[in-house]
Amino acid sequence: MRVSEMNREALEAFQAECQKQYTAFQAAGLKLDMSRGKPAPDQLDLTNGITTCLSEEDYRAENGLDCRNYGCLDGLPEAKKFFAPMLGVDPEELIVCGNSSLNIMYWTMSLAMTNGILGEKPWGKYDKVKVLCPVPGYDRHFAVSQFLGMELVNVPMREDGPDMDIVERLVAEDDTIKAIWCVPMYSNPGGVVYSDEVVKRFAALKPKAKDFRIFWDNAYCVHHLTDNPPVQANLLEEAKKAGNEDICYMFASTSKITHPGSGVAMIAASENNLKYLKNALGFSTIGYDKMNQLRHLRFFDGKFENLIKHMKKHQALIAPKFRIVNDTLERELSDLGIANWSDPLGGYFVSFNQKGCAKRIVQLCKEAGVVLTGAGASFPYGIDPEDENIRISPTFPTEEELQKAMDVFVCSAKLAAAEQALAK
Ligand code: PLP
């Protein structure tokens, strides 16, 4: 029965039942964590061979370069060739960087603030510059822009990507809007895959600011949970067709492919953008970790298809966890009409919405020993206007721990719904 159709008596009985269950969970002294979008240890084990795949004599690139030494600022040529298919670009459109794509996003945005883009006035010299933030979105993206002094502007997400009518209107009328954050494949946290139409509308954007950039973070581009993953139009390719190739920076990394923190990150962009970025890069590093690039090449035997096969092993480990989350939510909540949630085809998160209840659910879970990402974390300034969104990260706990955590979660969601309805 839907909670909205329960009379007071039924609601009180429903609350009493939820409270009884909840008290039992509290007494169990659980200590579970669904807050972190991290690979589990068994996923990390898949890549253990990367630490031993280079022999002592194996330190030369194909062109004979000694990778132990300085040099080769924009990445090994074979690393560019290997990683180019990840972002769907040509090898010469890529810089292969260090261990973190977030670091490169920070660096490119910070560079725009201090030095401007392609000869334009530095963003930091304006009284105010703004960045569009599709919501819910990735908290660290928003934090980067806020830290650099930008104003964050919410843009609603739809099933096929950000609301492009709003994006097009805002960027066309306001030249203080300099950027937008996008996670086009399996967005964090909604799991949204931008449609080809949305990609093409991004590619054809006509911003008032000439130095506007799309920060296209394709962090989950090979992180599928299904055997028939969606295929997406390529932003840079579409932007070229639209004569607009300078509009985007595209990012990815192997953080959740090999080992987070010891992976390889990359940025792809147009020829103009890359020239400008490489020049600036030369002032901040003499070169990235080429031995790690070499390790990645050796581990995958230089074949991108091996990386795709490796991702199938990740899929086998984590798809059952996403099933546990969805099955538990379906079984316990679908008849109550109190919430909706994503059932993503890839990525690392499930996005759960229950209007007016997010903070209360997170608090109830915490008091019963289950840690969730803070309510509001997926919104600029941590403010969820409807107090509805919770990001669930199923990958790190074991299946057994996850099931227990989800049992507490649905019990907390029901209790919060009962309290809300009774308070009306
Ligand atoms: N981008 C998104 C959308 C993420 O969810 C994450 C990590 O959770 C990152 C980037 C971090 O990437 P990296 O480890 O390459 O810095």
Side-chain angles (χ1 to χ4, degrees), residues 229-397:
V231 178
Q232 190 174 56
N234 186 276
L235 179 65
L236 187 56
E237 195 178 311
E238 294 301 326
K240 280 188 218 163
K241 284 187 211 159
N244 211 10
E245 65 262 31
D246 292 340
I247 193 139
C248 58
Y249 296 151
M250 307 202 299
F251 308 88
S253 80
T254 68
S255 283
K256 288 165 184 170
I257 299 172
T258 56
H259 288 159
S262 319
V264 175
M266 62 215 77
I267 174 169
S270 70
E271 195 181 335
N272 277 340
N273 281 331
L274 277 197
K275 202 166 143 205
Y276 145 82
L277 290 172
K278 279 186 211 172
N279 177 57
L281 192 60
F283 292 97
S284 60
T285 178
I286 311 174
Y288 288 113
D289 182 349
K290 297 182 296 300
M291 292 302 283
N292 197 33
Q293 294 176 22
L294 216 50
R295 273 193 288 277
H296 279 73
L297 287 161
R298 298 292 183 266
F299 182 71
F300 292 116
D301 202 14
K303 296 189 183 102
F304 189 69
E305 74 237 37
N306 288 344
L307 183 149
I308 297 297
K309 277 189 209 152
H310 184 74
M311 293 314 291
K312 285 261 172 214
K313 296 183 196 164
H314 281 284
Q315 182 190 328
L317 292 173
I318 66 174
K321 296 183 179 180
F322 281 82
R323 266 201 302 281
I324 288 172
V325 172
N326 193 55
D327 289 352
T328 311
L329 293 171
E330 278 290 333
R331 189 178 61 242
E332 299 294 328
L333 302 186
S334 58
D335 290 345
L336 298 173
I338 55 175
N340 62 69
W341 55 90
S342 61
D343 183 14
L345 298 175
Y348 259 62
F349 304 102
V350 172
S351 183
F352 176 90
N353 293 299
Q354 185 170 328
K355 268 203 174 38
C357 292
K359 282 199 188 113
R360 180 66 180 143
I361 296 170
V362 170
Q363 181 198 10
L364 283 167
C365 282
K366 188 173 168 208
E367 288 167 9
V370 175
V371 181
L372 295 167
T373 311
S378 300
F379 289 77
Y381 310 110
I383 300 169
D384 175 355
E386 303 278 359
D387 183 29
E388 65 175 346
N389 187 258
I390 296 174
R391 188 180 88 168
I392 298 174
S393 313
T395 56
F396 191 75

Side-chain angles (χ1 to χ4, degrees), residues 132 165-180 202 205-209 212 247:
L132 300 184
D165 290 343
I166 294 180
V167 171
E168 284 166 350
R169 181 172 52 74
L170 288 177
V171 303
E173 68 189 20
D174 185 349
D175 65 355
T176 68
I177 295 176
K178 297 293 187 189
I180 183 167
F202 267 115
L205 272 186
K206 295 275 173 278
K208 194 167 179 196
F212 174 90
I247 193 139

Side-chain angles (χ1 to χ4, degrees), residues 37 99-103 105 138 140-141 183 188 217 219-220 252-256 260-261 265 349 391:
N99 70 331
S100 159
S101 59
L102 191 69
N103 176 252
M105 296 176 224
Y138 180 36
R140 288 181 189 273
H141 283 163
V183 182
N188 173 350
D217 176 5
Y220 299 107
S253 80
T254 68
S255 283
K256 288 165 184 170
F349 304 102
R391 188 180 88 168

